[in-house]
């Protein structure tokens, strides 16, 4: 058990939401159009994308079909099932709920492995500089 309440989103919930949003935007699909394909409201799609609501197995299956991917797409780059520290969960939650987080994740997905690595190194350097000033 992770110790978090059953209703609290996990890192995986945020990742599935970020991958969902990235793919939907990549296809030029609106939240309303995806919601219609799933038989839910666009607000529900928003909640899935933010990781605020978990995606059930059957809905994940429908999402994969609507977005033209297999289910594994939503879990690419996921960490092993060992529970991440609560601090990581809090950081991921803050990232996904920030204004810039989902957009950054969308672009990060598209830029390729070399650029991702460079961007990660830049973020690390900036975080270290901020930490040293504190």
């Amino acid at each position: 058990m992770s110790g978090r309440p059953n209703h609290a989103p996990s890192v995986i919930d945020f990742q599935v939401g970020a991958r969902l949003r990235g793919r939907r935007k990549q296809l030029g699909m609106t939240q309303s159009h995806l919601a219609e394909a799933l038989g839910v409201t666009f607000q529900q799609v928003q909640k899935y994308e933010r990781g605020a609501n978990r995606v059930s197995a059957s809905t994940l299956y429908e999402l994969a079909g609507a977005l033209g991917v297999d289910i594994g797409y939503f879990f690419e780059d996921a960490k092993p099932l060992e529970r991440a520290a609560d601090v990581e969960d809090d950081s991921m939650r803050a990232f996904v709920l920030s204004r810039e987080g989902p957009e950054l994740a969308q672009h990060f997905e598209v830029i390729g492995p070399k650029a991702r690595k460079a961007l990660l190194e830049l973020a690390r350097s900036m975080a270290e500089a901020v930490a040293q000033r504190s």
Side-chain angles (χ1 to χ4, degrees), residues 89-100:
D89 283 351
D90 291 343
S91 294
M92 182 63 77
R93 183 176 294 115
F95 174 75
V96 171
L97 295 177
S98 72
R99 217 176 90 197
E100 304 83 5

Side-chain angles (χ1 to χ4, degrees), residues 44-62:
Q44 183 63 40
V45 171
Q46 286 176 330
K47 290 177 183 180
Y48 289 151
E49 289 184 357
R50 287 194 329 261
N53 282 9
R54 290 183 175 161
V55 178
S56 70
S58 59
T59 301
L60 190 63
Y61 183 82
E62 292 174 17

Side-chain angles (χ1 to χ4, degrees), residues 20-21 24 29-50 53:
L20 161 61
R21 180 184 176 110
R24 177 185 60 76
M29 185 183 293
T30 66
Q31 289 176 332
S32 295
H33 184 255
L34 181 57
E36 187 177 314
L38 297 173
V40 299
T41 64
F42 81 91
Q43 291 95 336
Q44 183 63 40
V45 171
Q46 286 176 330
K47 290 177 183 180
Y48 289 151
E49 289 184 357
R50 287 194 329 261
N53 282 9

Side-chain angles (χ1 to χ4, degrees), residues 1-18:
M1 298 278 306
S2 67
R4 84 183 146 72
N6 284 338
H7 63 279
S10 74
V11 171
I12 295 298
D13 296 320
F14 291 123
Q15 177 172 336
V16 168

Side-chain angles (χ1 to χ4, degrees), residues 58-122:
S58 59
T59 301
L60 190 63
Y61 183 82
E62 292 174 17
L63 279 168
L67 297 173
V69 295
D70 62 38
I71 291 175
Y73 168 84
F74 296 102
F75 302 102
E76 289 175 7
D77 302 324
K79 292 183 179 181
L81 287 178
E82 297 173 11
R83 287 298 306 144
D86 287 340
V87 172
E88 278 188 44
D89 283 351
D90 291 343
S91 294
M92 182 63 77
R93 183 176 294 115
F95 174 75
V96 171
L97 295 177
S98 72
R99 217 176 90 197
E100 304 83 5
E103 183 178 357
L104 182 59
Q106 173 193 352
H107 296 305
F108 189 79
E109 180 181 333
V110 174
I111 63 175
K114 282 186 175 181
R116 288 181 194 180
K117 190 171 185 174
L119 185 58
L120 180 59
E121 289 302 319
L122 174 63

